[in-house]
Amino acid sequence: MFLHHSCIWFFYLKTGRWQVPPSNLYTHFGQSSVAFFFMITGFLFFSKLLDSRTRDVDWAKLFLSRILRLTPLYLFVMVLLFSIIAYLSDWTLNEPILKVVKDVVKWLGFTVLGAPDINGVENAATIVAGVTWSLKYEWFFYLSLPVIALLVNIRPPFVLIVLGVISALCLAVTHAEIIHLVAFLGGMFASILVRWEVFCKLFVRRVFSLIILTCIVISVTVYPSAYDTVPMLLLSIAFILIACGNNLFGVLDNPVSRTLGEKAYSIYLLHGIVLFVLFNFIIGIGESRLLSPLTHWLLVAGVTPILIVICFFTFRFIERPAMESTNTLINWFRSFHDFTLKRQILRTNK
């Protein structure tokens, strides 16, 4: 995704148009990454449902864990976004306060209702490289889990089913693209196949590493976008083989791959801001427009270690503490609920 948007920035500086790169490879660096991101989500959470068929699903803990996983870092990124916009606005209110507040709320709502410009600063979405669009699909999938649970004979509370239906309607109203939902289905299908030992033993063979590479190469070389039926099917096949244990000639077992994977959410949300600061504030927008391709990519390479270090700290001090607090918070809420319930019972009995 970082390479994808670095390429977009090169042409954006030259043409003023934010659009997919004129290269299948760089387009797939972004689009295929998002597709795999959705597949991982589908795989992990449908697996949770399959594992919960013999016991009750802890819905409160599940949703709280999702809130704590996505929200703290997102709010941190929003603070950076609003700060940059304020700086670009010379710390002056250029639009009616109610409009600014309305636009800010849209951004705080994971841009489900849009990612508008704020306070007259045009192309505000480019500050974060427009990556927030995918999060509404993530939230839709989480909220739809109670409805999906019905398919595996799990009976969630009725209110959660209603919430799932409402989220589906909201997704339809916001003109969601069906192809992104297909990626979640690919992950869900993988979560079923990994339960068959025969598939796992078969797919770990090196020949299937070649099949993974073949699927990816065909998708990249033949199709200009990952967001189409055939490339999405090819990517799903590759993901299924990986989910069943294939390590792609050992690449996926590499410690570096695992470390970067752990920081993936930070890299995803923060790389756009790093690129924006690089080309607008450090180099300067005028000078950035004149950069040669070689100089552009040397600068991108130079800023990459900085991005990784930043993401190390955001993961260490924002993401991980939030994730680790899930059990503590859910136990506190339940203790508070039990305490409140007992007080009500005592008052009733007096």
Side-chain angles (χ1 to χ4, degrees):
M1 183 61 72
F2 179 55
L3 294 175
H4 171 76
H5 286 123
S6 295
C7 187
I8 288 179
W9 260 104
F10 178 79
F11 291 100
Y12 177 64
L13 289 167
K14 306 295 184 185
T15 67
R17 294 192 297 271
W18 187 271
Q19 55 191 16
V20 293
S23 160
N24 283 15
L25 178 62
Y26 283 101
T27 296
H28 278 268
F29 275 147
Q31 295 183 353
S32 295
S33 297
V34 172
F36 281 130
F37 184 58
F38 289 159
M39 290 176 194
I40 291 171
T41 297
F43 174 82
L44 292 176
F45 288 91
F46 193 64
S47 294
K48 288 181 181 291
L49 293 182
L50 293 176
D51 291 338
S52 298
R53 286 178 295 180
T54 57
R55 61 179 186 274
D56 292 334
V57 178
D58 192 339
W59 293 104
K61 183 176 180 179
L62 188 152
F63 285 121
L64 180 61
S65 71
R66 292 302 86 201
I67 292 171
L68 294 175
R69 181 68 185 94
L70 296 185
T71 304
L73 181 64
Y74 184 82
L75 292 178
F76 173 73
V77 171
M78 289 299 100
V79 170
L80 297 180
L81 171 66
F82 300 150
S83 298
I84 291 173
I85 289 175
Y87 176 80
L88 294 174
S89 305
D90 293 325
W91 307 97
T92 302
L93 192 63
N94 298 323
E95 293 183 335
I97 183 64
L98 290 179
K99 183 180 185 306
V100 173
V101 171
K102 180 180 178 181
D103 293 337
V104 166
V105 168
K106 287 182 178 180
W107 275 95
L108 291 176
F110 287 88
T111 64
V112 172
L113 298 178
D117 294 337
I118 301 176
N119 200 32
V121 175
E122 297 181 349
N123 302 317
T126 62
I127 298 174
V128 292
V131 299
T132 56
W133 70 269
S134 65
L135 296 180
K136 77 174 183 180
Y137 289 91
E138 287 284 307
W139 280 115
F140 160 75
F141 185 77
Y142 298 144
L143 294 174
S144 69
L145 284 173
V147 177
I148 297 173
L150 296 173
L151 301 177
V152 292
N153 202 32
I154 294 175
R155 296 292 181 267
F158 180 73
V159 65
L160 294 182
I161 297 175
V162 173
L163 186 62
V165 173
I166 292 174
S167 71
L169 293 175
C170 290
L171 199 66
V173 170
T174 54
H175 307 292
E177 297 183 37
I178 300 300
I179 194 65
H180 298 310
L181 305 183
V182 173
F184 289 105
L185 291 176
M188 292 168 64
F189 187 64
S191 69
I192 296 173
L193 289 185
V194 297
R195 297 170 188 283
W196 295 68
E197 187 176 351
V198 62
F199 286 116
C200 293
K201 287 183 177 179
L202 177 65
F203 292 158
V204 294
R205 297 177 181 176
R206 294 176 70 85
V207 65
F208 286 97
S209 293
L210 287 174
I211 293 176
I212 292 172
L213 289 177
T214 301
C215 288
I216 294 174
V217 168
I218 292 175
S219 177
V220 170
T221 57
V222 177
Y223 299 95
S225 172
Y227 302 148
D228 205 348
T229 304
V230 176
M232 191 63 72
L233 176 61
L234 291 170
L235 293 174
S236 294
I237 292 172
F239 178 80
I240 288 169
L241 297 178
I242 293 171
C244 286
N246 194 290
N247 61 13
L248 195 56
F249 299 111
V251 172
L252 300 179
D253 288 336
N254 187 284
V256 175
S257 298
R258 292 180 176 273
T259 299
L260 292 178
E262 190 178 50
K263 314 298 187 299
Y265 186 49
S266 280
I267 294 173
Y268 183 74
L269 285 185
L270 286 165
H271 76 268
I273 291 179
V274 170
L275 290 172
F276 185 89
V277 170
L278 172 66
F279 294 121
N280 282 268
F281 301 147
I282 298 177
I283 307 300
I285 197 68
E287 291 77 5
S288 295
R289 292 192 178 108
L290 303 175
L291 293 175
S292 67
L294 176 60
T295 306
H296 176 91
W297 286 108
L298 285 175
L299 287 169
V300 169
V303 82
T304 299
I306 298 174
L307 171 64
I308 294 174
V309 170
I310 292 172
C311 292
F312 170 83
F313 283 105
T314 55
F315 178 80
R316 172 65 179 82
F317 295 106
I318 298 177
E319 291 188 75
R320 190 163 69 184
M323 289 187 289
E324 292 175 347
S325 67
T326 300
N327 288 331
T328 301
L329 285 176
I330 199 67
N331 290 334
W332 184 87
F333 283 132
R334 285 173 175 161
S335 298
F336 180 77
H337 176 267
D338 292 342
F339 174 74
T340 303
L341 186 62
K342 289 178 181 178
R343 289 191 63 182
Q344 290 177 344
I345 293 173
L346 290 174
R347 288 177 180 176
T348 302
N349 294 333
K350 285 183 178 179

